[in-house]
Amino acid sequence: MTEYLFQLSETSTGTLQSRIQEMMVSAIVNRHVRPGMPLPSGRKLADQLKVSRNTVVLAYQNLVDEGFIETRQRSGYYVCEDVLSGYANTKPQDTETKGKSSLDWKQLFSIQPSKFVTARKEQDWQNFPYAFLYGQYDKEIFPISDWRECCRDAASISAIYDWASDHIDQDNSELIDQIHNKLLPRRGIFVEPDEILVTLGAQNAIFLAAQLLLNKDKTIGIENPGYVDARNTFLTQTDKVACLDVDEDGLVIDKKLDNCDCVYITPSHQYPTTVTMPQKRRTQLLQKAKDENFIIIEDDYEAELTYNKKPLAALKSQDSDGRVIYIGSISKTLAPGIRLGFMVAPKEFIEEARVLRRLMLKHPPSNNQFIIARFLQRGYHDSLIRKLSLTLYKRSNTMRAQIDENFPGEALESQHGGSALWIKGPKGLDSRKLAEELLNEGVLIEPGDVYFYPKKDKCEYFRLGFSSLPEEKIATGIEKIVEKIKQLT
């Protein structure tokens, strides 16, 4: 028993008491100690683990209260005889057969998303000193104390009674109020609360829209290059994909739009080129959508990160006949792991999306909605956006200065901020090979081939994100990229 506790003590976290409880519960349910087995006395275990006797006694008492162990008069502590009564009486499978199936799953799948081309990132990216990755947060900027305060509020008794109940398919009313009165007016959008639905990030919203609007007979128009995960989501519903050109003003308005049933766009920061669609072209797009009767799905990611410039209002703000489905994300500014976004659309669409979401996940976790509502109410999100915009502005200037001075290529201009640059390398550059070669230098970049459909061979484009990269590391990182490009071209 004590040998097992020593083994786990190196990896356990929390207070000493909670760690001992965690280790003992794990030892019991994993059958390292048997039901009815006597446990060491509190004094003996405390001596062996080099902790106070009171700590062990408190841990033992909690385990008694929770039904894992029991006390016997003048005999000590024992593992409860019936502690494993709720566990099925089965033996572990042999390692050779575990997880294997005799079925031909490839024949059973209706789709195989694993075969889609997608952007892949190093899981241990934080261990790389020069991680030019998009979409990662900077732990030095994350408002830990503000977030903890809101989490503590969510742990109050009244809050728990509220969010722990079954809300079926409804969202937190305070969060809807904050989206309605604070986030959307910031983008020039004024709608009714019943036109808003909370989602598990923007990706969940895109999936809901794809399920409701597409089938095998309908055509989706996508920006090319464009957002890979959105494209793959649409491919689960239809293979009729119209690849729409992108230039320095974003989506090109031409005849390729004529046969589309839906069009997915990122007008504020085109993904991945970062360019912003100007007002004139937005007006043209809305008129085209009306003339050709197609729906627009507007992904307004990073719209708040404008480096303190005056942003253009969202396309949805000009939507006079309800044909724009607006998608926003709080994860993009707060932290990607938060996974909370929202969609705005006519009431009829939101009603169907709510029912569909219920079939998938009922609703995003209510405790998370509560926390984020408080975070928004207290102005912490506004403060974070100001800090992020200033930080990203400095990093962007530093990066552009290095590129303008040393880089054998060019970067498109982002008129309204953001956290990445889209780079066109010298002719003949293979950005995929460049990325592989840079791994040994501790540098991570994002090859541009996957953003094109179909995927480009030997693509000279790549993306450099700077949302999580300290400003002082940018110059050295760019130097390493430039040196490697010169070696490859």
Side-chain angles (χ1 to χ4, degrees):
M1 173 69 179
T2 52
E3 290 82 357
Y4 184 77
L5 291 177
F6 280 126
Q7 177 186 350
L8 285 181
S9 64
E10 297 179 358
T11 58
S12 301
T13 59
T15 65
L16 285 173
Q17 180 186 325
S18 65
R19 288 167 60 188
I20 292 170
Q21 291 173 215
E22 172 195 344
M23 292 184 291
M24 293 189 72
V25 169
S26 182
I28 291 169
V29 299
N30 288 314
R31 295 176 170 82
H32 293 284
V33 293
R34 301 183 305 277
M37 179 177 175
L39 299 175
S41 69
R43 188 181 302 279
K44 182 178 180 180
L45 185 58
D47 289 341
Q48 291 175 323
L49 295 179
K50 297 184 176 5
V51 299
S52 75
R53 180 172 177 271
N54 284 342
T55 299
V56 174
V57 169
L58 288 172
Y60 273 174
Q61 189 55 54
N62 280 344
L63 291 171
V64 169
D65 294 341
E66 293 168 5
F68 285 98
I69 66 177
E70 61 185 5
T71 58
R72 297 180 185 176
Q73 192 172 9
R74 292 191 297 273
S75 184
Y77 293 96
Y78 290 79
V79 179
C80 287
E81 294 283 358
D82 62 348
V83 70
L84 299 179
S85 60
Y87 289 73
N89 188 23
T90 58
K91 294 181 179 180
Q93 291 178 304
D94 294 336
T95 54
E96 293 183 1
T97 60
K98 187 176 181 180
K100 293 185 178 179
S101 173
S102 59
L103 301 178
D104 185 354
W105 282 103
K106 290 183 179 179
Q107 295 298 319
L108 296 173
F109 289 132
S110 59
I111 59 171
Q112 282 189 266
S114 63
K115 292 191 177 298
F116 295 155
V117 174
T118 189
R120 302 191 184 279
K121 298 181 182 181
E122 298 292 329
Q123 291 296 312
D124 61 341
W125 65 270
Q126 292 179 331
N127 295 328
F128 286 76
Y130 309 102
F132 289 93
L133 297 183
Y134 163 79
Q136 301 297 348
Y137 83 113
D138 189 337
K139 61 184 179 182
E140 301 300 326
I141 297 177
F142 185 80
I144 293 176
S145 60
D146 296 339
W147 184 254
R148 281 179 169 174
E149 177 189 311
C150 297
C151 288
R152 284 193 295 270
D153 286 353
S156 70
I157 294 175
S158 60
I160 292 173
Y161 286 165
D162 179 32
W163 60 250
S165 60
D166 186 357
H167 294 278
I168 306 176
D169 62 1
Q170 296 301 302
D171 294 315
N172 180 284
S173 60
E174 292 183 357
L175 178 57
I176 292 295
D177 183 65
Q178 289 299 305
I179 295 172
H180 176 241
N181 292 313
K182 185 173 288 186
L183 296 186
L184 292 179
R186 189 183 190 115
R187 301 296 300 124
I189 300 173
F190 300 91
V191 295
E192 296 301 319
D194 59 6
E195 296 177 89
I196 303 168
L197 185 73
V198 178
T199 61
L200 284 176
Q203 194 63 41
N204 179 217
I206 293 169
F207 193 90
L208 289 171
Q211 288 268 314
L212 290 172
L213 297 174
L214 298 175
N215 59 40
K216 61 183 179 63
D217 297 319
K218 291 189 175 181
T219 299
I220 178 70
I222 60 172
E223 298 165 318
N224 195 30
Y227 180 35
V228 185
D229 285 346
R231 180 183 73 211
N232 289 341
T233 297
F234 300 137
L235 286 171
T236 66
Q237 303 301 308
T238 181
D239 58 3
K240 292 186 175 182
V241 175
C243 294
L244 310 174
D245 296 331
V246 172
D247 62 14
E248 64 276 4
D249 286 333
L251 180 73
V252 175
I253 314 301
D254 60 18
K255 291 185 177 181
K256 291 183 179 181
L257 291 161
D258 292 356
N259 296 319
C260 294
D261 297 287
C262 296
V263 173
Y264 170 83
I265 59 168
T266 52
S268 293
H269 291 102
Q270 200 282 324
Y271 195 108
T273 69
T274 76
V275 298
T276 301
M277 182 182 287
Q279 183 58 55
K280 181 179 179 180
R281 188 170 292 189
R282 293 175 183 229
T283 302
Q284 292 173 341
L285 175 60
L286 288 169
Q287 186 60 49
K288 186 78 166 178
K290 189 173 184 178
D291 293 343
E292 301 299 331
N293 194 30
F294 59 78
I295 298 296
I296 298 173
I297 303 173
E298 177 187 14
D299 187 344
D300 200 32
Y301 85 101
E302 285 194 345
E304 302 92 343
L305 304 180
T306 59
Y307 303 166
N308 296 320
K309 295 180 182 178
K310 185 77 172 176
L312 285 176
L315 188 70
K316 177 66 177 174
S317 69
Q318 305 167 50
D319 180 20
S320 61
D321 56 353
R323 66 175 61 252
V324 177
I325 311 298
Y326 178 88
I327 294 173
S329 174
I330 297 174
S331 306
K332 292 293 189 296
T333 49
L334 189 50
I338 298 296
R339 305 312 314 144
L340 195 134
F342 52 93
M343 63 194 314
V344 178
K347 181 180 177 181
E348 296 85 352
F349 183 91
I350 292 299
E351 287 176 349
E352 296 299 331
R354 187 182 303 280
V355 175
L356 179 58
R357 187 192 66 176
R358 175 179 177 174
L359 298 179
M360 297 169 64
L361 49 90
K362 284 207 170 180
H363 56 75
S366 296
N367 58 330
N368 291 354
Q369 293 193 52
F370 179 96
I371 293 168
I372 293 171
R374 290 297 173 91
F375 193 83
L376 291 167
Q377 283 172 346
R378 294 173 182 174
Y380 297 149
H381 186 252
D382 295 295
S383 177
L384 174 62
I385 288 174
R386 287 192 293 271
K387 187 174 182 179
L388 268 175
S389 294
L390 179 59
T391 301
L392 294 176
Y393 177 61
K394 292 178 179 178
R395 291 177 184 176
S396 176
N397 284 344
T398 299
M399 188 175 290
R400 284 193 174 277
Q402 290 295 317
I403 290 173
D404 291 343
E405 182 177 351
N406 304 311
F407 205 77
E410 58 181 318
L412 281 175
E413 184 70 32
S414 175
Q415 299 99 315
H416 290 86
S419 64
L421 298 181
W422 181 245
I423 309 294
K424 182 180 182 181
K427 188 175 181 180
L429 175 69
D430 184 345
S431 63
R432 178 67 54 179
K433 183 173 179 57
L434 173 65
E436 293 171 356
E437 293 281 340
L438 285 170
L439 287 176
N440 296 327
E441 305 290 332
V443 180
L444 295 179
I445 67 169
E446 299 181 39
D449 52 358
V450 297
Y451 300 107
F452 292 89
Y453 189 70
K455 179 180 175 182
K456 266 194 172 186
D457 292 329
K458 203 172 182 180
C459 177
E460 69 269 27
Y461 290 94
F462 59 95
R463 190 165 63 159
L464 298 179
F466 47 87
S467 60
S468 62
L469 188 65
E471 186 179 355
E472 62 269 17
K473 289 189 174 183
I474 289 175
T476 303
I478 294 294
E479 288 174 5
K480 290 179 178 292
I481 296 172
V482 170
E483 182 179 349
K484 188 61 65 174
I485 288 177
K486 291 178 179 178
Q487 294 175 10
L488 296 175
T489 55

